[in-house]
Amino acid sequence: MPVIKYPRIRDPLFYEWDRKAQKCGLRHTIYAVNGDQYTGEWLDNLKHGKGTQIWKSTGAIYSGDWKSGKRDGYGSYSILDPVTKEYKRVYTGWWENDQRSGSGTFFYPNGECYEGEWSNGMRSGWGKMHYKDGSSYEGQWLADQPNGQGLLRLPNGNRYEGGWKDGKKHGPGKYFYPDKGQLLEGIWVADIPKCGVLVDFGRENAPAPPELPLPEV
């Protein structure tokens, strides 16, 4: 009796290629079509866990935590200096959904630096900004601007303590003039003092006090 052999059903070859291409766990460096490269952990074919990404177009590098293909967790982002060919750190801190979120430190190209809280890639929460002119602001931020209560220190020693809105002095506040030994306490609107009282404050230690003391209110 003849034996009938039926051909075994086989999946198309590209199914096998796709199965082998699926990435999960720790892998060696993987190169994208555009030249970007990633070395680290994967889950369900997405960057997930610890890993390092290098972008070919900019030379930028990120090393840290990933979640479902996006930077999420703690990590450091640096760029390549076109002149010195050395890496300059831009941001070190926490990320969420590929954006700076949580506590972190950002270094600006002009030498300024921000240390504090972030939300959706913007300065939001409590933080301290060091400006290139030597001044600094420490306090509350919202949508990348001083907003709430904060302290501004100027290079000449003067300082402002009080309310802020959209990056400008706004609301009740105190402006100290240590060089003159005076204090202005009042209400600010969009960086302009609208009403207030100027009194002597630390006049005996001021290096350049006015000729006559201010009368008491």
Side-chain angles (χ1 to χ4, degrees):
M1 181 177 179
V3 178
I4 300 176
K5 295 184 177 180
Y6 295 95
R8 184 162 56 92
I9 299 177
R10 301 185 62 180
D11 292 329
L13 192 57
F14 66 83
Y15 280 13
E16 179 69 12
W17 293 343
D18 184 66
R19 185 186 65 79
K20 290 182 178 180
Q22 296 300 307
K23 296 175 283 294
C24 191
L26 182 62
R27 296 288 293 268
H28 293 297
T29 302
I30 302 294
Y31 292 87
V33 176
N34 61 3
D36 295 347
Q37 61 186 75
Y38 172 80
T39 305
E41 297 176 299
W42 298 77
L43 180 64
D44 297 331
N45 214 35
L46 293 172
K47 306 179 188 82
H48 192 95
K50 301 288 185 181
T52 299
Q53 167 98 10
I54 301 177
W55 287 267
K56 183 180 180 180
S57 60
T58 61
I61 181 172
Y62 169 81
S63 183
D65 297 324
W66 297 78
K67 183 179 180 181
S68 301
K70 296 181 179 180
R71 290 168 290 187
D72 199 298
Y74 190 85
S76 180
Y77 178 79
S78 303
I79 59 174
L80 189 64
D81 190 301
V83 178
T84 64
K85 301 301 180 182
E86 295 181 351
Y87 277 102
K88 283 186 174 182
R89 187 170 47 178
V90 175
Y91 175 78
T92 298
W94 292 91
W95 302 73
E96 184 177 358
N97 196 32
D98 227 27
Q99 298 280 354
R100 294 183 293 274
S101 188
S103 298
T105 302
F106 191 94
F107 301 91
Y108 293 84
N110 61 2
E112 296 180 345
C113 174
Y114 171 81
E115 306 170 72
E117 297 176 313
W118 298 78
S119 180
N120 295 322
M122 295 187 291
R123 294 166 290 185
S124 291
W126 189 271
K128 185 173 185 179
M129 183 76 186
H130 303 268
Y131 298 98
K132 62 180 180 181
D133 63 358
S135 61
S136 67
Y137 169 83
E138 182 174 8
Q140 295 174 304
W141 295 74
L142 181 65
D144 243 9
Q145 297 285 354
N147 206 97
Q149 294 295 309
L151 167 64
L152 174 67
R153 295 181 183 274
L154 300 178
N156 62 3
N158 293 349
R159 68 183 189 274
Y160 168 81
E161 301 176 16
W164 295 79
K165 184 179 180 181
D166 300 329
K168 296 180 179 181
K169 294 181 280 292
H170 193 92
K174 298 179 181 180
Y175 204 113
F176 295 84
Y177 300 89
D179 57 335
K180 298 180 180 180
Q182 294 180 335
L183 162 65
L184 173 61
E185 183 172 1
I187 304 294
W188 273 256
V189 176
D191 253 356
I192 300 174
K194 292 297 184 178
C195 62
V197 177
L198 184 65
V199 298
D200 285 330
F201 185 86
R203 178 184 174 87
E204 62 279 2
N205 297 321
E211 183 177 352
L212 298 175
L214 293 171
E216 295 184 6
V217 179

